[in-house]
Amino acid sequence: MDLTSKHTSPVLTEPAPMNKSRLGIHPAILPYSQSGGSFPPSKYITIPRKKSGKFDDVWSNGWLDAMKSSSPPRKKLIKDFDVDFPSDDDTDVAYSSWMLKYPSALNSLEQITSYAKNKKIAVFLDYDGTLSPIVDDPDCAVMSNAMRCAVRNVAKYFPTAIISGRKREKVSELVGLTELYYAGSHGMDIVGPVGQTVLNSHPNCIGSTDQQVFGTLVKKTKDIKGAKLENHKFCAAVHYRNVDEKNWPTIAQCVHDVLKDHPRLRLTHGRKVLEIRPVIDWNKGKAVEFLLESLGLNSSEDVLPIFIGDDRTDEDAFKVLRERNQGYGILVSPMPKETNAFYSLRDPSEVMEFLRGLVRSQKKKVVGGGGEEGGKQRIG
Ligand SMILES: O=P(O)(O)OC[C@H]1O[C@H](O[C@H]2O[C@H](CO)[C@@H](O)[C@H](O)[C@H]2O)[C@H](O)[C@@H](O)[C@@H]1O
């Protein structure tokens, strides 16, 4: 993990593998300003603050509230608190009314594909919670063969990229398809499919890997039962999904202490995970813009980018699409959530159906002579 670099750019520490073309890193790196990814605590639960003094830092900076609302609330997690959890009926009503604002992408497939009629679709997919269901152990988050097949078919017709918080090599191993673009570490590390032209390479790439911050995190959290750390090379993940909730302040405080000593690092919240990354203006949204530009898909009239994701870090990409007034963000969520997305899907199985639908409609277009010269839409 390279977290302490003095370089002001997301960095590449290794040469691109021979069979991969590295797309590189966007040079426009600005001091980070907090945008997207920051949400008010869940409207469903308010957990009473425990007065301790010891963890004032993480209470006052809102980390603990964010941690408690970082994944759909489960009854078992809040049974100890005096909260009024909505009944299943209430939840259905709330979801239905939320869907008036964020309609189902599945039900809107015809509308989406007809809007895309004379446009090139580009598909951007998050991994965890989008292509694979959320599970307790990050190492067991495997993608089904059916989903793999759906993604493979999508990539036959549309330029397709996976944009993940995970280490790029890890997510590409989990997906296992060589024909895709992969952006790991929240877009800080990008490669193209086998044989694809190298589009860019940032001159400030550095060749060292700094293990110090990760080592400190490991040391500080080693006695917290259930804590799990992942080194994503350009960022790090501290999981608390399997940590007893009474120890969440402790784990938050450990991370807080490390960040205090490293002002060039910042925190973002994912689903029961604290993510530590460099203070640079780079996120999944920037990665989408970078890929669109690199692939010659920047024209807003001709290109329809679709980004599907479930997490707070995906909001940066949804926001970019909204601001460009181009394409659609699709939030994967089984419950109402504040979002910059345009459409919604309930879970990975609906994502798979949606991807299959996109392929079906493209096949029809090709057979019907809708303007495409064969399978895959031409890039650039
Ligand atoms: O951007 P993503 O591809 O969605 O990656 C975000 C994080 O996903 C993983 O953690 C999440 O999924 C795990 C497996 O289902 C789950 O156990 C964990 O609680 C979730 O936070 C991954 O392990 C992280 O490193 C990624 O940052």
Side-chain angles (χ1 to χ4, degrees):
M1 172 182 53
D2 192 326
L3 296 172
T4 55
S5 165
K6 297 274 183 294
H7 292 248
T8 52
S9 66
V11 288
L12 304 174
T13 54
E14 292 162 11
M18 291 305 285
N19 65 343
K20 291 274 176 185
S21 56
R22 190 180 291 279
L23 293 186
I25 296 303
H26 197 287
I29 303 304
L30 302 165
Y32 176 76
S33 64
Q34 186 74 38
S35 69
S38 154
F39 278 72
S42 161
K43 293 194 177 76
Y44 285 121
I45 54 171
T46 312
I47 297 173
R49 172 180 172 158
K50 292 195 186 83
K51 297 247 181 290
S52 75
K54 197 170 157 198
F55 302 118
D56 277 356
D57 286 339
V58 290
W59 273 119
S60 61
N61 65 14
W63 284 20
L64 283 170
D65 283 332
M67 286 168 79
K68 288 169 199 295
S69 64
S70 76
S71 225
R74 285 190 274 170
K75 288 177 189 178
K76 83 178 172 65
L77 285 178
I78 57 169
K79 68 179 183 327
D80 297 336
F81 296 89
D82 182 21
V83 292
D84 191 11
F85 195 85
S87 71
D88 288 349
D89 283 352
D90 288 347
T91 310
D92 286 349
V93 170
Y95 195 78
S96 304
S97 69
W98 177 77
M99 278 175 72
L100 295 175
K101 201 169 167 198
Y102 307 102
S104 159
L106 261 183
N107 297 342
S108 314
L109 192 63
E110 218 176 291
Q111 200 181 327
I112 293 172
T113 52
S114 85
Y115 183 66
K117 202 166 166 214
N118 298 313
K119 294 177 193 281
K120 294 170 186 159
I121 292 178
V123 178
F124 298 93
L125 301 164
D126 164 58
Y127 182 76
D128 290 279
T130 298
L131 297 181
S132 70
I134 292 293
V135 291
D136 282 347
D137 181 356
D139 294 333
C140 296
V142 290
M143 185 170 142
S144 69
N145 281 333
M147 181 66 96
R148 185 166 297 105
C149 183
V151 176
R152 182 186 289 121
N153 286 333
V154 159
K156 282 183 192 155
Y157 290 93
F158 314 107
T160 303
I162 308 288
I163 304 194
S164 171
R166 287 182 184 255
K167 188 173 174 175
R168 195 244 314 144
E169 291 87 343
K170 180 72 190 175
V171 72
S172 104
E173 179 193 318
L174 287 165
V175 175
L177 297 170
T178 51
E179 54 270 58
L180 311 182
Y181 294 82
Y182 288 95
S185 305
H186 297 287
M188 283 184 260
D189 184 10
I190 305 179
V191 295
V194 177
Q196 198 83 33
T197 324
V198 175
L199 292 167
N200 197 0
S201 172
H202 194 273
N204 287 350
C205 298
I206 60 161
S208 67
T209 300
D210 190 339
Q211 291 292 333
Q212 190 223 328
V213 174
F214 192 72
T216 311
L217 283 168
V218 169
K219 220 165 24 195
K220 279 188 182 281
T221 56
K222 73 176 185 336
D223 294 327
I224 304 174
K225 193 164 165 240
K228 183 175 171 83
L229 271 63
E230 287 176 296
N231 183 343
H232 295 323
K233 193 156 71 178
F234 301 117
C235 45
V238 180
H239 292 273
Y240 56 93
R241 182 170 294 277
N242 302 317
V243 173
D244 192 317
E245 191 163 340
K246 74 176 184 315
N247 291 325
W248 288 6
T250 311
I251 198 163
Q253 192 67 44
C254 289
V255 173
H256 180 272
D257 291 346
V258 172
L259 290 193
K260 210 169 59 198
D261 294 339
H262 295 89
R264 299 181 72 87
L265 300 179
R266 67 180 171 97
L267 179 92
T268 52
H269 292 271
R271 296 180 71 166
K272 302 272 183 276
V273 63
L274 300 170
E275 298 179 290
I276 296 159
R277 18 169 151 177
V279 180
I280 49 175
D281 185 27
W282 198 263
N283 54 42
K284 290 188 178 188
K286 299 276 180 184
V288 167
E289 288 187 307
F290 175 72
L291 275 161
L292 286 172
E293 195 182 326
S294 303
L295 301 180
L297 295 171
N298 227 359
S299 150
S300 58
E301 288 86 51
D302 304 340
V303 177
L304 188 93
I306 293 177
F307 188 105
I308 311 181
D310 71 312
D311 207 346
R312 290 174 185 183
T313 60
D314 300 314
E315 291 294 329
D316 292 317
F318 299 152
K319 196 158 168 256
V320 158
L321 297 186
R322 250 188 206 272
E323 281 168 2
R324 289 167 69 110
N325 199 15
Q326 185 190 12
Y328 301 117
I330 302 178
L331 176 70
V332 184
S333 176
M335 58 173 288
K337 260 192 199 175
E338 203 66 47
T339 181
N340 282 302
F342 208 91
Y343 290 110
S344 63
L345 290 167
R346 264 181 199 268
D347 52 32
S349 70
E350 285 203 359
V351 173
M352 188 165 76
E353 279 316 308
F354 178 77
L355 296 178
R356 287 175 173 165
L358 276 186
V359 170
R360 269 197 311 273
S361 82
Q362 187 65 19
K363 276 185 179 161
K364 265 197 224 152
K365 196 163 143 183
V366 173
V367 172
E372 295 301 332
E373 301 149 359
K376 196 163 188 163
Q377 296 177 341
R378 203 169 59 80
I379 301 175

